[in-house]
Amino acid sequence: MEQVIFAGFTHEPAEQLAERLGKIVPAGLDRVFYSDNGSTAVEVALKIAVQYWYNQGRRKKNRIIALEHAYHGDTIGAMSVSADSPFTATFEALRLAVLRVHDSKELERLLRDRKDEIAAMIVEPLVQAAGGMLVYSAAELERFSALVPSP
Ligand SMILES: Cc1ncc(COP(=O)(O)O)c(C=O)c1O
C-alpha cells in the first residue's frame, strides 16, 4: 500500500479551508497548520511557540502561561497547560512546568518579572467551558492579547 503524508503536499479543499479561516482569524495570522484533534492542535501550538523563540536564538523563552481553570486537552502538553485537577494528578511527574495567572493584572506582574522566560500564553477565548462555563470579558481577552502579542 502506498502512503501519502500531508506534509509538503496540498490539495484544493485544504487550500479553500485555509482561505476561509484566514478571513475570520485575527489580523496577522496568515499561516494554517492542520492538526487532527484539539489536544494535538494544542501540542503543535506549544511547539511552534517554543520553536519560534529557539530559532531566534532565545532558547530560554520556553515557558507557557496558562489561565487558572483552563482545560486544553488530554495529551501531555495539553494536560500541562490545563488546570490541576484529579484527572491530571496521576500524571504530575509528566506534566511540563507552566506559569499560571488568574487575570491580566497577574499577567502584567508576571511579564514584568519573567518576560525573558516566556514563549507564549494559551487561553480559551471568553469562556472556560470545562472549567465550569466561566465567562470573562472581551476587554480582558484584549488585555491578554496586548500584553502577549503575536510575534
Ligand atoms: C478548549 C479546549 N481545548 C482543547 C480540547 C481538546 O480537544 P480534543 O478533545 O479534540 O482533543 C478541548 C476539548 O473539549 C477544549 O474544550
Side-chain angles (χ1 to χ4, degrees):
M1 184 201 287
E2 273 189 59
Q3 286 194 332
V4 176
I5 298 171
F6 193 24
F9 292 89
T10 187
H11 57 74
E12 188 68 24
E15 290 186 21
Q16 285 171 359
L17 178 59
E19 195 71 32
R20 288 172 65 187
L21 289 169
K23 294 192 172 110
I24 58 173
V25 297
L29 297 181
D30 54 8
R31 299 280 194 282
V32 173
F33 185 105
Y34 290 114
S35 194
D36 52 349
N37 60 67
S39 299
T40 313
V42 169
E43 299 290 331
V44 170
L46 300 178
K47 288 176 69 180
I48 287 173
V50 171
Q51 180 149 24
Y52 172 82
W53 292 112
Y54 186 96
N55 289 354
Q56 310 286 317
R58 307 283 308 275
R59 296 184 183 181
K60 291 190 174 150
K61 278 174 85 67
N62 55 23
R63 288 294 176 96
I64 309 295
I65 303 175
L67 286 177
E68 299 284 357
H69 307 294
Y71 175 72
H72 293 290
D74 292 331
T75 52
I76 301 296
M79 189 176 58
S80 302
V81 290
S82 299
D84 298 343
S85 79
F87 303 110
T88 64
T90 309
F91 308 103
E92 211 39 60
L94 302 183
R95 289 170 83 208
L96 309 171
V98 166
L99 302 166
R100 297 178 199 282
V101 296
H102 273 104
D103 56 25
S104 57
K105 286 260 177 307
E106 279 188 18
L107 176 62
E108 212 168 347
R109 275 198 294 275
L110 182 61
L111 291 171
R112 209 176 304 134
D113 297 340
R114 303 180 68 171
K115 194 165 189 167
D116 288 346
E117 296 168 53
I118 291 159
M121 179 179 188
I122 183 166
V123 302
E124 296 155 274
L126 304 179
V127 186
Q128 295 184 288
M133 299 307 285
L134 305 172
V135 178
Y136 62 93
S137 68
E140 183 71 338
L141 182 59
E142 277 166 16
R143 284 191 284 272
F144 293 150
S145 178
L147 286 165
V148 188
S150 300

